[in-house]
Amino acid sequence: MSTVKVTDDTFQSDVLQSETPVLVDFWAEWCGPCKQIAPALEQLAAELQGKVTIAKLDIEQSPTTPSRYGVRGIPTMMLFKGGQMASMKVGAMPKQKILEWLTEAGVAA
């Protein structure tokens, strides 16, 4: 499975009402570090299928959700569990660091 695109309109149903934890990557087309982490997120989406959904929200196309959650810099990754933001990381990280973060949050094994 690959990453899932979410928007302001689908955030409630795709993220907050998800049965599985959702990692939301807040990004923009012009953001270099966002493009750097994209391949790692695609790999993790495939490797952790069924454990966590990896979603991408373009802050240019959907500005309401990032402002609601106080996103100030991108990339910002937020982990949602049970409709609540459980953990957040700001900035680009290598795949291993993202995996460690997810493991600490209890969603990757």
Side-chain angles (χ1 to χ4, degrees):
M1 188 169 138
S2 60
T3 57
V4 178
K5 180 182 175 190
V6 294
T7 64
D8 284 341
D9 294 336
T10 64
F11 193 83
Q12 178 77 30
S13 59
D14 290 351
V15 177
L16 300 180
Q17 296 173 352
S18 174
E19 296 290 316
T20 57
V22 182
L23 184 160
V24 179
D25 172 32
F26 293 89
W27 72 287
E29 192 61 45
W30 47 263
C31 169
C34 299
K35 291 181 178 179
Q36 284 179 324
I37 66 169
L41 292 174
E42 288 291 339
Q43 291 171 4
L44 288 169
E47 292 170 18
L48 301 175
Q49 187 173 344
K51 294 180 183 172
V52 62
T53 300
I54 301 197
K56 296 178 75 67
L57 186 140
D58 185 328
I59 65 163
E60 299 277 304
Q61 295 174 358
S62 298
T64 304
T65 303
S67 66
R68 182 182 310 140
Y69 287 96
V71 174
R72 294 206 169 98
I74 54 171
T76 291
M77 293 178 281
M78 292 186 185
L79 181 65
F80 289 84
K81 291 165 119 177
Q84 299 293 316
M85 198 260 285
S87 187
M88 176 174 78
K89 292 285 182 182
V90 178
M93 297 188 293
K95 178 183 168 187
Q96 190 57 39
K97 289 288 184 197
I98 299 170
L99 188 57
E100 287 172 16
W101 170 51
L102 291 173
T103 303
E104 286 170 16
V107 297

